[in-house]
Amino acid sequence: MDQIKEQESVNKGTIGLPDNRLLELKRVIVATIVGGALVCLCAVLFIDKNVTKSIAEINRDRLLHLRQACERTNNGGKYKIEPSFYIHVKNESLLYCLVFKSGTTTWFYNINRWAGYSEEKILDDKTDNFMLARQKYPWENPQKLLTSMKNAYSFIVVRDPFERLISAYEERLLGQLHPYFKKLSHQIYKRYHNDGNEYGIPTFQDFARYVVDQNRAEQPSDLHWRPINDLCTPCLARYDSIIKMESFGPELAYLVNRTQLQEKIKSVHMNHSRRDSLKRLIEKYFSQLTKQQYEDLYDIYRIDFELFQYSPESVILYVNGLTVL
C-alpha cells in the first residue's frame, strides 16, 4: 500500500510537465540507475580481483614495489650490500637473508637440520643457531653473494617494524631467557630511572628511548630490532620471494612448492605465546610514548615501512598528543 501511494505521489508530481521534460526526466532516472549499477558491479569486480589474487601475483607486486621504493629512496641510502646475514644453502639452492624476530625459528631449525645438527641441539634455548649455521654455511663476500643470488632461490622474511619491535621487547627484555638480555634489561632500566634499583624492568617507553638514543649515537643496535634495511640492504639484493610474517603459513607453502622442497621444510614455532592480542599490546605499549618519541622511533624504521608496504596507522591511534587526520 505504501509503495502504491509513493508511486501515485511521483505520478502526481509529473502531471503537467511537457512531454519533452518527461522524456528528459526518464532519461536521467534511467542513467542514474544504470550508473549506480555499474559502480556497484565495478566495486564487486575490484573486491573479487583482490580476494582471488594468487600468492604468486602478490609476490610479484611486492617485488615491483620494492624496486620502485628503492628508486624513490636512493636504494634506502645504501651503497654496498651487507652480506653478514645472508645464508647460502648450496645443497638446496636457497639463499636466505635472516631478519631476526621474523620467522628465523623456522628457518634456523631447517637450515641447521640440513647441516646435520640434532633437533635437541637446535631447539635448546642455550644454542646460538646463527653461529651454529655459520659453521656449515660460511659468510660470502659481497661479490660472491651477488653471484649466488643469480644461481639460487633468494628470499627474505619481513614483518611490520613496530610489531617486530614489540616482539623483541617482550621476548628479549621482559622474558630475560638469555643472560645477555637479562643484563641489558637492567642496564636500560638504570639508564632512565635514578631510584637505586639494580634489577628494575624497563618499560616499553624506556626501551623506545634506548633504541632512539643508540641510533643518535650511531651505535649499532641489537640484531633483534635492527632495521631490515640495515640487516639485509634489500635494495641492493635480488629476491625471488618476499614473505611476510603476517601471512607466513601460505607464503611458506608457496616457497616450498617453488623450490620443490616439500619433504624437507617444516614450520616450527618455539617462542612463548603472548596472553594479550596484538591490538591490545599496541595500545598498551604505544600509549606510553609521547608524540616526539613516536616520531623519533618511526624515523628509524621509516625505510622499512616504505620498502615493504607497511603502515603505522594501527599505532598512531594510541600515541599521546598525536593527531590523526
Side-chain angles (χ1 to χ4, degrees):
M1 184 62 72
D2 290 337
Q3 290 178 338
I4 294 173
K5 289 181 179 179
E6 183 178 348
Q7 185 59 50
E8 289 176 350
S9 176
V10 171
N11 292 338
K12 288 178 182 178
T14 59
I15 292 174
L17 287 175
D19 290 344
N20 63 334
R21 290 290 305 280
L22 281 171
L23 182 60
E24 182 182 350
L25 180 60
K26 288 178 180 178
R27 285 174 178 169
V28 170
I29 293 172
V30 170
T32 302
I33 293 172
V34 172
L38 288 173
V39 170
C40 292
L41 178 60
C42 288
V44 169
L45 290 174
F46 176 78
I47 292 170
D48 184 63
K49 181 180 178 182
N50 282 280
V51 168
T52 59
K53 199 173 241 188
S54 70
I55 292 177
E57 290 172 319
I58 292 171
N59 187 56
R60 283 197 295 270
D61 289 347
R62 288 177 186 166
L63 292 171
L64 175 60
H65 175 86
L66 177 62
R67 287 198 299 271
Q68 294 172 340
C70 288
E71 291 177 2
R72 291 194 302 270
T73 61
N74 191 26
N75 284 338
K78 304 297 181 181
Y79 305 98
K80 184 177 180 182
I81 194 167
E82 171 55 68
S84 302
F85 305 104
Y86 284 89
I87 295 179
H88 185 195
V89 185
K90 294 181 181 179
N91 288 346
E92 311 301 342
S93 294
L94 285 179
L95 184 64
Y96 164 52
C97 188
L98 59 97
V99 176
F100 294 85
K101 303 306 301 170
S102 298
T104 50
T105 298
T106 286
W107 287 108
F108 276 141
Y109 173 81
N110 288 286
I111 287 170
N112 283 332
R113 189 165 51 87
W114 296 334
Y117 298 112
S118 68
E119 184 170 298
E120 182 181 6
K121 185 173 184 63
I122 297 169
L123 300 179
D124 190 333
D125 286 337
K126 298 176 182 177
T127 298
D128 185 332
N129 274 291
F130 180 41
M131 297 306 296
L132 195 65
R134 272 288 177 249
Q135 295 176 28
K136 176 68 176 181
Y137 310 103
W139 175 88
E140 293 184 343
N141 66 52
Q143 193 58 47
K144 185 175 182 180
L145 178 63
L146 291 172
T147 300
S148 296
M149 286 180 176
K150 299 177 183 178
N151 302 315
Y153 191 91
S154 179
F155 69 100
I156 185 173
V157 183
V158 300
R159 187 177 189 177
D160 179 284
F162 286 157
E163 290 182 20
R164 182 171 165 244
L165 200 65
I166 287 174
S167 179
Y169 170 70
E170 286 223 312
E171 185 183 334
R172 298 297 165 174
L173 298 186
L174 295 188
Q176 299 187 5
L177 297 178
H178 192 283
Y180 168 78
F181 288 104
K182 186 174 183 178
K183 181 179 180 181
L184 178 62
S185 180
H186 298 326
Q187 288 176 343
I188 293 174
Y189 179 86
K190 287 192 293 183
R191 181 169 183 161
Y192 301 108
H193 298 269
N194 188 23
D195 59 6
N197 188 346
E198 294 291 320
Y199 304 103
I201 304 298
T203 63
F204 185 77
Q205 184 183 54
D206 296 333
F207 175 53
R209 291 176 65 186
Y210 174 75
V211 172
V212 170
D213 287 346
Q214 292 291 98
N215 180 262
R216 285 176 174 168
E218 299 184 352
Q219 296 178 353
S221 60
D222 186 272
L223 301 179
H224 293 83
W225 52 83
R226 188 175 300 177
I228 299 171
N229 189 46
D230 292 346
L231 287 170
C232 296
T233 50
C235 287
L236 304 178
R238 187 203 67 80
Y239 296 123
D240 293 294
S241 280
I242 297 173
I243 295 175
K244 289 195 172 186
M245 276 295 291
E246 293 77 10
S247 46
F248 186 74
E251 293 182 18
L252 174 63
Y254 168 76
L255 182 146
V256 168
N257 288 330
R258 283 287 305 276
T259 56
Q260 298 182 339
L261 293 172
Q262 288 86 346
E263 303 301 321
K264 292 191 173 184
I265 296 179
K266 177 182 176 183
S267 181
V268 178
H269 180 77
M270 285 171 52
N271 298 333
H272 301 286
S273 59
R274 58 169 65 103
R275 288 175 293 179
D276 294 324
S277 67
L278 177 60
K279 182 179 179 181
R280 174 68 188 115
L281 289 175
I282 290 173
E283 179 180 4
K284 176 181 177 181
Y285 292 136
F286 277 83
S287 62
Q288 298 176 20
L289 305 187
T290 65
K291 175 177 180 292
Q292 188 61 57
Q293 288 170 339
Y294 161 79
E295 290 175 349
D296 291 340
L297 197 62
Y298 175 75
D299 192 56
I300 294 173
Y301 298 97
R302 179 179 55 82
I303 297 294
D304 285 2
F305 275 103
E306 184 163 359
L307 296 184
F308 301 109
Q309 295 174 282
Y310 285 110
S311 169
E313 286 183 6
S314 63
V315 165
I316 60 179
L317 294 171
Y318 304 109
V319 177
N320 289 318
L322 196 62
T323 302
V324 180
L325 299 178

